[in-house]
Every structure is written in structure tokens, then in C-alpha cells.
Amino acid sequence: MTIKRLVLFFVLTPIAVFLAASSLFSSLQEPQFQSRLELYQTNIVLQAQAWQPDDSSDDSSQVIREAILGEKPLENATKEYTQALQSVQTNLTKTQNQLTQLRAEPENPAPSQPLTDALPARTNQETQLQQSLQQLQKFSDELGLQLGILQAQQGKRDTALQTWQQLQKAQTPDSSTEVEQTAAVLSGLWSEPARLFPNAQQLIQQNLDGWFRSTALVKLYQLQQRQDALTQLQSVQQAAASQAVFKLAVIATVPSLTALVGMILLIFLIAQRLLKGKAALLSQNADVTWSTPWDVETILQVLVFGFFFMGQIFVPALLLLLPIPRPIVGVRLQAVYVLISYLLVASGALSVLYISIKRFLPLSEFWFRFRLRDSWFLWGLGGYCAALPIVVIVSLINQQLWQGRGGSNPLLQLALESQDFVALGIFYVTAAIAAPIFEELLFRGFLLPSLTRYLPVWGSILLSAILFAVAHLSLSEILPLTALGIVLGVVYTRSRNLLAPMLLHSLWNSGTLLSLFLLGSGN
């Protein structure tokens, strides 16, 4: 065995596995993005309550209103916020216990572990736990303010006052935080008799958004008897409600129709497979392997050195040399930074891929195949429709499994909170163009066919999908991304055209970004 193989197999690969496992473990402490995403949609439903059809006496208008908003939007929203708050508080307690346990452990490392390695690792873990604790506490405070307003609007004044009272922890007004001051303002508005604070409007506008802000301001203006401000606010509410109804219609209708088409397509393909056997579309190229001239050493070289080390060590170190202020502020600068980072990782990994397989060129048929005159568009579009119901079902199971923990792709949060069209355009280039091209070249173009040297096609699809999911370094995304990776693998092995999974991948990320933009613009 050569020195190169020894270093690759017994040094670089174990290091990559350890670092990946550490990143996945760290994501366990982070809140899951999906739980917050559902609350964003709930907030749009609450905003849409103010919507009044042009002919409100028409029965069909009321049917449409109930179909969009549901029968009891306030009650449903209260239930969701209560569950979200309980989940966050549970995770908050777990994180606090982990931090307490870590601090209680002796600082002496194990005999086999040098002190210089043990202390930085301990410090990093403690820092991550503290950051998670701060994020969870902030989220819990936000949910408490909002839940109290929902309770008050349903006539549960005492329950709302108790919810806000739990947020008021300061001993004196001077030492209170903005959240505590806002909780005091809300308690005053709904108390009997009401108590008005001089900075009430400012605190409400700074610490509440969307429906919650407008609801609190309506209560404030009514108590202050500011009829002009109240009329103007109600006009703004009606305009926001009309926009919210449109967004809900798009968010609900397009994915639902796509999922319905996907279910019909899945039923058709499965029935065809059962009736026609190997003559069915799903059986097309199902057992045809690639002629792979390289072995596991080349596979590891590309994945470990080209992908992992390039993305986790070399490129981050290179970016540290850029003369930009840190932390990076401004959503446009963040978007550009993300795009540059991704392009550097992709360029580095594809360069390693080319160097690794250069001596085997030219490759046999089906390797890295692009054919415009083919049925790749139908495979990509059909695969997207079929993937939607599969991933949605897996995601529902996944949410119950992780209970709001497990982290998420940070790009999703940036896209959700950004209303800058230039930044969103840059995010789109990263997620819907650069990511599908690079990831499909690597995972479906190279990895999946390479694995067929050792595994059957179905086994290669499964293993490449798992590695594709793990590469995103987020525990809560492993199951959904594995499901998506399987569909991508099936589409590629059947079509034998990389344009098909690239299209599917691009449609998936585009749909996600569009949903995030619509949800974020309503909050």
C-alpha cells in the first residue's frame, strides 16, 4: 500500500468522518427551521383575517374565505403557538442541562488526550451551547409575547396576563429588557383598568410584527382615542390582508396541485411496474451499471479531499484572508459571500474530480452524459412532482422525530428574512443554478455510477442519497434529503442524462425559495 493510500484511508478519511460527525452533533443543539416556517404561515393566516370580499354577503365568498383561513384561525393559531412554545422551552431546558453538566465536568482530559486538544474542544462546545441557549431564549420570549396577544383576542384575558407576567423577570423597570418592557406594555393594554406607558407605541413597533403589531396598535389607539391613526391602520390592515390571501392561495394551491400530480404519477408508475415488469418506465436502465475504471481510492479522494476538506477547511481559510469586516452585516453582502464561498468550493471539488479521473479519460458511454435532444425535461419535471409528496410525508415523520431540534441550512433563514430583491436574486443563483449543477455532477454524475462497481444500482442510489444528505451537515435534514436524493438517483439512472436530476434539483430549490419569499414578505 502506497503512502498516499495510507494517508487517505487512515488519516484524512477518519478526520473527515470525525469533523462531519461533530458538525452533525452540533446541529442537534440548534432549533429546526421547519417549526419557525410553520409559524410564518400561521402569521399570514392571521393577517388574512381582515380580508373582506367585495360581496361579503355572497355565500360563495364566505366559502372561499373559510377554505383559505380555516374555520377557527385564532384557535388554530393559539394551538400552534402553544405547542411551539412548549417545544422551545423543552429544548431550552435540555440545552441548559447540557451546559450545566459540561461546566460541572472536570477540566482534566483523558490520559490519551493532550490538554491542548481537550481545552479548545471544551470551549467550542460550551460556546455553541451558549449560542443555542441565547437563540432559544430569544425565540421563547417572542413566542410568549405573541401567544399572549392570541389569548387576549379570544377573551382569555387572565391567561394572557399570566403569559406576559412570566416574561417580566426584572426586579426594577430600569433593569428590564425590551421584551420585558413590551410584555409590561401589553399587560397594561389588556388590564382592567388599562395602564398606558409613554413608550408603548415605540416598543410595540420594535418588538412585534405583522398581525401581532397591528392588533396591539389597534388596542393602543382605541384606548388613546386616536381615531385618525386607527382609521389609517385599519386601511393598512385591509391592504395587507388582501396580499396575505393571495400569498396563501399561491402557497397552498401550487404545491397541492403538484403533489396531487405526483401522487397520480407514482400510482401510475407503480401499477405499470407491477403489470409490465421490466418493460415499465421504472425498470428502464434499472440494472444497467456503469463501467467504472477507478476504485474506492479515487472515490474517497474526490469526496474527502475534493469535497469535504475543500468545503470545511481550505475555502473557509481562504475566505478569512478577504478584507471584509466580520461579522458580515447587510443581506446583500451576506448573499455575495455565500455565492463566492459556494463557487470556490464547487470549483475546488470539481478540479480535484477532474485531476482524479483525468488518466482514465475518455470514459465509456453514460458517464457525465448531457443530451439536449432527449426526454430529460419530462424526467426532471415528473421527478419533481413525484418527489413532493414523498418528501412531505418523510418531513412530517422527521418533525415528530426531532421535536424542533436538529438545525437547518442557514441559507433558508437568510432567504426567509430577506426582502431585498438583489439579495434574493443572488440567493437564487446560488441555490437554483450553482447548487444543482455542482451537486448533481458530484453525487449523481460521479458518486452514484462509481458505487455501481461495488453495489447494485439500487444500492448505489441509496448510499449516494445518504451521503448527499449527510453532506448538508444538518441532522434534521438527513431523512428528507435522503428521500429527495433517492428520487434524484432514480431519475438519473433511468434517464441516463444529468440534465434531468439538475432540472429536478433546480425546481426543488426554486420552489423552496419562492415559498420562503412569500412567507417572509408577510411577516
Side-chain angles (χ1 to χ4, degrees), residues 112-410:
S112 60
Q113 186 179 23
L115 181 62
T116 53
D117 292 340
L119 292 181
R122 178 191 178 96
T123 302
N124 289 337
Q125 188 178 357
E126 186 172 341
T127 301
Q128 289 173 351
L129 286 172
Q130 287 174 335
Q131 291 174 346
S132 298
L133 200 62
Q134 291 172 355
Q135 292 174 354
L136 288 168
Q137 186 61 63
K138 181 182 178 182
F139 192 22
S140 175
D141 291 342
E142 292 173 0
L143 291 174
L145 292 175
Q146 295 163 337
L147 178 59
I149 294 175
L150 285 167
Q151 294 165 338
Q153 285 298 101
Q154 294 178 75
K156 301 176 182 178
R157 186 175 62 86
D158 293 339
T159 305
L161 293 176
Q162 185 178 0
T163 299
W164 290 322
Q165 183 63 38
Q166 292 173 356
L167 298 175
Q168 300 174 53
K169 305 164 188 174
Q171 299 298 319
T172 63
D174 293 337
S175 64
S176 60
T177 65
E178 281 199 357
V179 169
E180 292 168 335
Q181 292 174 28
T182 307
V185 165
L186 295 175
S187 297
L189 291 178
W190 270 275
S191 295
E192 291 183 0
R195 303 188 311 275
L196 297 181
F197 291 76
N199 58 343
Q201 181 171 329
Q202 179 183 354
L203 286 168
I204 289 171
Q205 290 175 333
Q206 288 178 347
N207 296 286
L208 294 171
D209 291 313
W211 178 85
F212 299 98
R213 177 194 289 173
S214 59
T215 300
L217 287 176
V218 165
K219 186 71 173 177
L220 176 64
Y221 294 159
Q222 287 173 341
L223 292 171
Q224 293 176 332
Q225 297 182 349
R226 295 169 58 186
Q227 190 58 45
D228 291 343
L230 186 60
T231 302
Q232 184 178 359
L233 178 59
Q234 288 172 340
S235 176
V236 172
Q237 279 183 301
Q238 185 59 226
S242 299
Q243 293 179 359
V245 169
F246 171 75
K247 292 169 187 173
L248 287 172
V250 173
I251 292 170
T253 304
V254 175
S256 297
L257 289 176
T258 305
L260 178 61
V261 172
M263 289 295 295
I264 294 172
L265 184 60
L266 285 171
I267 292 170
F268 168 77
L269 290 174
I270 293 171
Q272 187 191 52
R273 176 69 176 83
L274 293 173
L275 294 174
K276 293 189 175 182
K278 292 188 177 182
L281 276 174
L282 275 181
S283 300
Q284 179 179 315
N285 297 319
D287 300 320
V288 180
T289 61
W290 281 258
S291 176
T292 306
W294 50 78
D295 59 10
V296 69
E297 179 184 350
T298 302
I299 299 174
L300 286 177
Q301 183 172 297
V302 173
L303 290 183
V304 174
F305 185 77
F307 178 72
F308 188 84
F309 276 89
M310 195 65 66
Q312 298 299 311
I313 296 177
F314 298 140
V315 170
L318 178 63
L319 291 172
L320 286 175
L321 301 176
L322 292 178
I324 56 175
R326 290 178 174 81
I328 298 174
V329 294
V331 69
R332 290 189 183 183
L333 190 56
Q334 287 178 323
V336 171
Y337 185 84
V338 169
L339 177 59
I340 292 174
S341 302
Y342 198 88
L343 291 178
L344 286 174
V345 172
S347 300
L350 293 178
S351 296
V352 172
L353 170 60
Y354 175 74
I355 293 170
S356 299
I357 66 173
K358 183 179 178 181
R359 61 193 175 99
F360 300 106
L361 298 178
L363 299 175
S364 60
E365 189 183 12
F366 295 143
W367 277 100
F368 301 105
R369 191 180 186 194
F370 294 89
R371 290 183 62 183
L372 287 174
R373 295 183 179 181
D374 203 342
S375 56
W376 62 271
F377 184 83
L378 293 177
W379 276 106
L381 182 61
Y384 172 68
C385 294
L388 193 60
I390 294 173
V391 177
V392 166
I393 292 171
V394 173
S395 296
L396 292 174
I397 298 171
N398 191 62
Q399 282 180 257
Q400 298 302 314
L401 178 64
W402 293 110
Q403 295 294 317
R405 306 178 79 192
S408 298
N409 189 335

